[in-house]
Every structure is written in structure tokens, then in C-alpha cells.
Amino acid sequence: MNRITIAAILIAVFGVSAALRSVIPRDVPTAEAPESAPQRIVSLAPSITETLYALGLGDRVVGVTRYCLYPPEAQQTTIVGGFVDPSYEAILALRPDLVTVLEIHTEARQRLHTLDVPVLAVDHRTIDGILASFTTLADRMDVEEAGTRLTQACRERIENVQRRTEGLARPRVLLSSARELGKGRVESVYAAGRRQWYDELIAYAGGENAYPDDGIAFPEVAPEGLIRLDPDVIVELVPELERARYTADEIVAEWRSVPGLRAVREGRVYVMPGHHVAIPGPRFVQTLEELARVLHPEVEWDAP
């Protein structure tokens, strides 16, 4: 496969196209609570699935999407379709007492409401939203202590990165969330824009987003735009590198097709592989730590 599917990556990050970002009708609740803690849970987002398992609730998860690949045991769970095309028949067949969705799952929330299926929505578009979801999910599932532990563990890792990068120069970073790979050149890039979790990761990791704030979460940038931005560091997120027909070195080499880039000239183009880099769940702290090591190789990261 010579294309990292842009739609799949952006679905994993924000999960939905602009067409589904309408205001939720007032008569559609974000949560409907059964009398007891849910025991049969369906998750309609990879980030939620990972959170449920991190909270120790894997034995209650009875259905997930085809994009829910982590932890591995989630892949043994019944598939109820995709992120934007769930099978409501498959969901109903599982007799769930709760379906967990993202706030941007507008259409699914409406449909499930009409089917009298309890729904709980969380927001994973920002790091604060991700952290808040741990408490929201844990409280609803009656595992409050697990939510507290998971939140604290993530906050400690964030604080560790911030402490180690405090006072250091902040390089301007272009974070490529998706592009067509394996063509021998860079034709366009879907960059991480401002005011979303990747932008926050860059800041937490001790960098500055090279892309200006134009209100677009993932703007497409042509080579001419890349030259104007001229970032100090370029980071490619390649979730499916292990399945690709090319190596990280070959991906980096494609950037030589864009003349004059400071990051290319100074050897500061990096590839970050792994599905976790595209999922705004509990493993965002792993992505943060990996990004910080790339931006600040001068820090002794393995020192206590």
C-alpha cells in the first residue's frame, strides 16, 4: 500500500468529516444513564476503546469499530462497522446498555437516541478533553479510582516533559499528519493546524507550531507553502509504516524534492511510526514523549 489513507488518519484524530460537525439538537442527550453501571459497552471510536481498556473495562466491551486495533484483545471483539458508518443492526444485536461516542458523532447520536439506546459522549479534540474523558467514563462505569489513577499518570508524564524542556529554545515544527508517500517527492502535506491536540502536543514537547492559526484543523499545504513556512523541524506521522513498501529513510529522502527547507538542510526531518500517533486516547503521552525526544535531542531523556 503506497498511500497512507488520509481519511482514515483524520477519522482517527477527529473521527468525522465537516458535514457531521453540526450543532447537536437540544433534544439529543449526551448521556442516558441506566440504573446500574453499564456491563455491555459498545465503543464507536478507537480513542474511546483504548480508554476503556486503560480503565480496566475491557471485559465489558462487547463491540468496537474496525479501526479499534489497540489493545490487541480489542480486535477479538465484535465489529460494529466503522467510525462514520456504524451498523445499527449489529449494535442492537449486542444488546448494549451503553454506547460510547465522541461529541462529533452527531449522526450516530441522533440515530441511537431514536432507537432508545443509552449514549455517553466525550470530546477528544483537545488534551484537556482527553483527560476529562477519563473521569467521565470512569464515573459512568463506577470505577472512579481507575479514572483518577489514569489521569494522574498522564499528567505526571506531561509535567516531566515540560520540566525537562523548560527554558530551551522552541523550534518551529511542521507536523505532517498525512500525505501520499512513496512517490519520490512531496506533493502536498496535511499539516497539523492550531487549536487541536497535535498543536498542544507540539507546545508541551517544547516546540512551536510552524503553521499559522487560520481555523483549519488539518490544512493541505503545497510545496510552495512549505517553503514559505520553512520550519526548523519536520515530523512525519506514519501510523502504518510497518505495512508500507518503503522505509523511514526513504520517506525522509522525499523531502529533498522541496528546495531550500531549513529542516531538510539541517537534517531535522523525522518519521514517527505506530498507530498510537494517530489516536487521541491515553497513549497520547507516548506520542508526546517521542515528539519531545525529536525536538530536543540535547536533553538527557533517560536520566532520572
Side-chain angles (χ1 to χ4, degrees), residues 38-46 48-50 52-53 57-66 68 77-83 86-102 105 108 112 117-122 137 141:
Q39 299 299 314
R40 298 183 60 80
I41 306 166
V42 170
S43 167
L44 294 188
I48 297 177
T49 299
E50 294 193 14
L52 292 170
Y53 275 88
L57 297 166
D59 59 337
R60 302 195 208 176
V61 178
V62 297
V64 298
T65 76
R66 68 177 69 96
C68 297
T77 305
T78 300
I79 302 298
V80 296
F83 196 106
S87 168
Y88 298 101
E89 293 80 4
I91 292 173
L92 291 176
L94 291 172
R95 297 177 289 106
D97 46 22
L98 187 68
V99 177
T100 51
V101 302
L102 294 179
H105 262 122
L112 291 166
V117 177
V119 176
L120 176 64
V122 294
L137 289 165
M141 311 304 173

Side-chain angles (χ1 to χ4, degrees), residues 171-182:
R172 296 175 60 255
V173 183
L174 176 80
L175 195 153
S176 170
S177 64
R179 72 175 175 90
E180 189 167 4
L181 305 175

Side-chain angles (χ1 to χ4, degrees), residues 102-121:
L102 294 179
E103 287 280 356
I104 51 180
H105 262 122
T106 308
E107 184 176 299
R109 293 168 68 186
Q110 291 175 324
R111 183 69 179 275
L112 291 166
H113 177 60
T114 63
L115 294 171
D116 292 325
V117 177
V119 176
L120 176 64

